[in-house]
Amino acid sequence: MNRRTLLAATAGGLAASRAGAQAWPTRPVRIVEPGAPGGGNDTTIRLFAHHLEAALGQPVPVDNRPGAGGRIGVEHVFRAAPDGSTLLMGNAGAMGVNAALYRDLPYNIETDFVPISLLVTGPNALVVNPRVFPGNTVAELIAAIKAKPPGHYNYGSGGVGSSAHFSAELFKLMAGVDLVHIPYRGASAMGQAVITGDAPFLIANLVNVMPFVRRGEVKLLAVTSLQRWPDTPDVPTLDESGLKGFETIAWNALFGPPGLPQAVVQRLVPELQRIGRLPDVIDRVKLIGGQVITSTPDVLAARVRSDIAKWRDVAQRANIRIE
């Protein structure tokens, strides 16, 4: 093939790709959210879906499929047709922790799913029931836990393999405490467990716990970013509270099933970036404790690889594995 023919072929391929991007979608685009309704991830994707409907000219319904730390919803998208009619709202648990937790996943998180864009990020937050733990510092919390026999206190999460589960396990390792894990079905249920005292300790996405914090139902002791979070400047980090180097960052993002055409990705990325710059989106995400962080597919892929490596290390040190 001579240079002129090669250039013509390349131009033709690009034109075909652009044409494919313009043609899609021709029917509703369903986004599977592998968590229960009402949580921070659910709020985020419904916000983006609302704006995507106008941009794409098709309905963009959100399909909640919770369970198994996100595995049920992720596996559903893995088996979906790669025609752009089914997408996945992934998060740090479902697309990071699960790779460290399960031996029998029917998919490879790093290589099978098509990365599209990060959407929102934020730290996790350590919250407690103030009646059970009346102290105001992480040091007081650790002392209170150690004052009781091992396993006396429970901690909650949104499910085995969730970001909340592994963040608390990392806390146990670094603080040298023993807590019993109680998995709940979604963010709302684990929040209620802290409020009632059934599981009075929780490290979960800031976006999931901020409604409870604002109502005074739980006490926010620390965030898990290395620097203080701009929206909670008076709240210390776990790093500065004595657990040096403690960092867990929550995120959610949009993925496609295996084989999703790049034409669909090329259509979605600029639309998501545009939506992420809208003042109402920025303000709404900030209100629930997050920060918009739309990205390129490569940036999302790098985040997934980094998280999987981190959580595999935690799983090995804490001896957590599900066959």
Side-chain angles (χ1 to χ4, degrees):
M1 182 182 292
N2 60 37
R3 185 171 181 274
R4 179 176 297 176
T5 304
L6 178 61
L7 289 173
T10 301
L14 290 173
S17 179
R18 285 193 294 267
Q22 291 298 320
W24 176 87
T26 58
R27 56 177 172 158
V29 179
R30 181 173 55 113
I31 301 179
V32 174
E33 206 284 88
N41 290 325
D42 183 63
T43 299
T44 295
I45 197 55
R46 290 181 187 278
L47 181 61
F48 275 83
H50 169 72
H51 288 283
L52 274 176
E53 286 190 348
L56 301 179
Q58 290 287 345
V60 183
V62 175
D63 181 6
N64 293 91
R65 291 178 178 260
R71 179 175 172 174
I72 291 173
V74 174
E75 186 167 342
H76 179 79
V77 176
F78 172 68
R79 302 188 186 284
D83 57 5
S85 63
T86 303
L87 302 174
L88 171 68
M89 169 66 155
N91 57 55
M95 303 303 283
V97 173
N98 279 359
L101 186 65
Y102 292 101
R103 292 182 182 273
D104 63 343
L105 289 178
Y107 47 79
N108 185 311
I109 291 174
E110 290 187 67
T111 60
D112 282 342
F113 294 89
V114 177
I116 299 172
S117 174
L118 285 161
L119 299 179
V120 170
T121 189
N124 287 319
L126 191 165
V127 299
V128 297
N129 181 305
R131 298 185 304 279
V132 178
F133 297 115
N136 294 310
T137 68
V138 173
E140 289 175 300
L141 170 66
I142 293 173
I145 296 172
K146 289 184 175 180
K148 296 292 185 179
H152 178 81
Y153 292 112
N154 300 330
Y155 78 86
S157 81
V160 174
S162 63
S163 175
H165 175 200
F166 268 53
S167 292
E169 288 297 323
L170 181 59
F171 177 87
K172 287 169 57 178
L173 289 169
M174 296 184 68
V177 297
D178 187 9
L179 299 160
V180 177
H181 178 215
I182 306 295
Y184 293 89
R185 193 174 177 85
S188 296
M190 70 181 178
Q192 288 299 322
V194 180
I195 294 169
T196 61
D198 292 338
F201 173 95
L202 176 68
I203 300 180
N205 297 7
L206 185 62
V207 297
N208 285 333
V209 301
M210 278 307 292
F212 305 115
V213 172
R214 288 197 172 98
R215 292 195 294 265
E217 296 169 324
V218 301
K219 183 185 295 183
L220 174 57
L221 295 186
V223 294
T224 63
S225 48
L226 289 178
Q227 290 78 38
R228 293 196 180 197
W229 193 242
D231 296 332
T232 55
D234 296 330
V235 179
T237 68
L238 278 171
D239 175 79
E240 67 181 290
S241 299
L243 302 185
K244 293 298 181 183
F246 192 106
E247 182 187 29
T248 63
I249 300 298
W251 52 264
N252 50 50
L254 201 62
F255 297 83
L260 181 74
Q262 281 302 303
V264 175
V265 177
Q266 291 165 5
R267 176 78 188 279
L268 281 170
V269 169
E271 292 293 354
L272 292 170
Q273 291 175 347
R274 179 189 62 79
I275 293 169
R277 293 191 295 268
L278 296 174
D280 70 302
V281 172
I282 294 171
D283 291 345
R284 181 70 184 278
V285 169
K286 183 177 181 179
L287 183 64
I288 61 174
Q291 184 178 78
V292 177
I293 185 174
T294 50
S295 72
T296 64
D298 288 346
V299 169
L300 172 54
R303 175 64 63 88
V304 170
R305 290 193 299 269
S306 174
D307 269 29
I308 288 175
K310 180 186 185 74
W311 295 126
R312 278 179 175 156
D313 178 65
V314 172
Q316 183 176 11
R317 291 166 60 195
N319 194 29
I320 304 170
R321 200 75 177 184
I322 294 179
E323 301 296 332

